[in-house]
Amino acid sequence: MPVIDQNSRRRRPTGLLALDETAAYDGHTLYAPLTGIGEVYLVDLRGETVHRWDLPYRPGRHARLLTDGTLAYNGVLPGEDALFPMWHKYRGGVMLHAAPDGTVLREHRDPLQHHDAHHLDDGRILYTALEPLRGADAEAVRGGVPGSEADGGTVWADTIREIGPDGELLWSWRASEHLDRDAYPLHEAYAREHWPLINSVTPLRDGNVLASLRSVSAVVVISRETGEILWRSAPGTTSQQHAPTELDDGRFLVFDNGVFRPHHDVPYSRVVEIDRGSGAIAWEYHDPAREFFFAPFMGSAQRLPNGNTLVTDSPSGRLFEVTKDGYLCWEYVVPHFAGYREDEVRGLFPSEPNAVFRAYRYAAADIPWLGAGS
């Protein structure tokens, strides 16, 4: 064994790195280590674990709390084959609710689910899934690396599904039916195995659906009534973005990864607010040393009740909070490192990361059972 740990991220400090209690939003932060076996942690502002769930599936991306105190968790369905090399990296398949003690209360399975599943308080789940396109339908998808389709020349195209508490299908949407191939081409550097790679799906207050199309660098609003695209971010506004959410003033908060950002030779990540009316960026945060904060994949941002923003720098397992004027007031690095278990993913990502997909902050009032010692 080497004397020096060769995992560069693990050599750096972990746990709580910075805290200004006068500026940070008081509460507890929830996260699920991506390479764990089903652990979900709730830590306080000082980085101390105050609660832990142990669930029967490794994370299929992330977890969050619902208003009734149950945990909404997306897990990886065991025993599934890889549809293409990256499939095991971001697939899910199990969407469940769990009690504070980890008891599974309800579970829905869909082996084609991936990336995001948004659990609503009434038991509905809005989630992303796949369908295969072959032959002329696959060839009609524009862009990407020629010849990089999945087995059999397949392009796996995104779908969105909404199910009820009992698993009944309430609504669905298909990229192959509603997206203009010429208007939404894959970036030239992306494999043609998956189009357009929807990594986030969220219901809006008006009933329509907000989605992030990573491989075509577009944030879109989908009409629940007709399936048409009602709004999209202007090309170049974001690059390979993640996790758009709707703010109280109607703007969209987006984690802009910055991969292949036009007219920038040095990549960096940022968090932006996009004005829906004008399409302009109304606010942004990037690190003072722009190149320091760069997440080439994954990432999220949550607007907190005091106006601060909790940011998940996913590949680095780095969670931090900034004020409206960009002052970093809290920083925590996930201390849990492990390797991916599937050979296909381990080959692509051989290190043992401390990555998390998303983190969420909750006030004590949002977790009444915690004070009760449950």
Side-chain angles (χ1 to χ4, degrees):
M1 293 293 292
V3 175
I4 297 174
D5 187 348
Q6 297 303 291
N7 187 325
S8 298
R9 287 198 170 108
R10 196 163 48 199
R11 289 199 307 271
R12 300 175 182 176
T14 61
L16 182 68
L17 300 189
L19 171 60
D20 182 341
E21 292 183 283
T22 66
Y25 179 71
D26 191 20
H28 300 81
T29 303
L30 182 82
Y31 66 86
L34 277 178
T35 53
I37 58 173
E39 314 96 304
V40 180
Y41 295 90
L42 193 65
V43 299
D44 63 20
L45 274 187
R46 298 194 171 276
E48 299 296 327
T49 299
V50 296
H51 192 76
R52 171 175 162 166
W53 291 259
D54 289 284
L55 298 167
Y57 312 99
R58 80 166 177 87
R61 303 284 92 180
H62 63 107
R64 66 185 184 89
L65 292 176
L66 301 179
T67 56
D68 65 359
T70 58
L71 185 77
Y73 180 79
N74 302 322
V76 172
L77 186 63
E80 294 295 309
D81 294 332
L83 302 178
F84 43 85
M86 283 292 288
W87 179 236
H88 282 323
K89 175 69 163 60
Y90 54 64
R91 72 181 181 90
V94 182
M95 295 153 273
L96 63 80
H97 287 141
D101 65 359
T103 300
V104 175
L105 305 172
R106 183 167 60 243
E107 179 178 299
H108 176 73
R109 294 187 171 198
D110 183 339
L112 294 179
Q113 184 265 329
H114 67 90
H115 274 96
D116 201 10
H118 186 93
H119 299 246
L120 288 85
D121 290 323
D122 62 7
R124 289 177 293 144
I125 307 174
L126 185 70
Y127 67 90
T128 54
L130 293 181
E131 66 169 350
L133 302 182
R134 299 185 175 96
D137 289 335
E139 293 170 5
V141 173
R142 304 298 183 220
V145 177
S148 60
E149 292 84 357
D151 288 347
T154 302
V155 173
W156 289 91
D158 283 306
T159 66
I160 301 174
R161 295 179 160 219
E162 183 181 78
I163 59 163
D166 297 324
E168 69 275 24
L169 181 65
L170 303 177
W171 179 80
S172 64
W173 180 90
R174 300 166 62 216
S176 62
E177 179 181 358
H178 293 289
L179 279 191
D180 183 312
R181 306 295 204 276
D182 293 324
Y184 294 90
L186 287 166
H187 186 279
E188 62 183 10
Y190 272 80
R192 289 175 50 81
E193 60 196 14
H194 187 177
W195 170 78
L197 209 163
I198 298 179
N199 57 32
S200 177
V201 61
T202 310
L204 297 173
R205 287 190 295 270
D206 64 7
N208 293 313
V209 175
L210 179 66
S212 166
L213 286 53
R214 170 173 166 86
S215 296
V216 301
S217 292
V219 177
V220 300
V221 174
I222 300 168
S223 169
R224 184 181 289 270
E225 182 177 355
T226 67
E228 67 180 312
I229 303 300
L230 300 175
W231 179 93
R232 72 166 288 176
S233 56
T237 304
T238 60
S239 298
Q240 319 300 306
Q241 74 295 314
H242 283 75
T245 54
E246 183 182 28
L247 300 177
D248 291 340
D249 61 6
R251 292 175 178 172
F252 296 141
L253 184 71
V254 184
F255 187 98
D256 179 19
N257 293 76
V259 181
F260 306 125
R261 179 178 288 120
H263 314 302
H264 286 77
D265 60 343
V266 177
Y268 65 93
S269 296
R270 60 181 181 168
V271 177
V272 299
E273 288 182 21
I274 303 175
D275 183 83
R276 184 170 175 177
S278 67
I281 292 176
W283 175 85
E284 74 173 272
Y285 167 80
H286 55 76
D287 195 271
R290 293 192 186 206
E291 70 282 357
F292 175 77
F293 171 34
F294 175 53
F297 46 87
M298 305 187 291
S300 70
Q302 176 195 9
R303 179 57 46 82
L304 301 173
N306 68 347
N308 290 358
T309 303
L310 179 69
V311 182
T312 305
D313 179 356
S314 296
S316 299
R318 176 175 170 254
L319 318 177
F320 63 94
E321 179 184 348
V322 296
T323 65
K324 193 70 175 178
D325 60 4
Y327 172 64
L328 188 149
C329 58
W330 183 81
E331 185 178 21
Y332 174 85
V333 175
V334 171
H336 313 289
F337 293 83
Y340 286 102
R341 285 159 182 78
E342 295 90 349
D343 291 340
E344 297 92 338
V345 187
R346 192 71 180 247
L348 295 169
F349 299 89
S351 67
E352 297 187 348
N354 61 337
V356 295
F357 191 57
R358 296 179 191 165
Y360 295 93
R361 176 75 54 80
Y362 299 95
D366 299 325
I367 323 172
W369 54 260
L370 186 63
S374 299

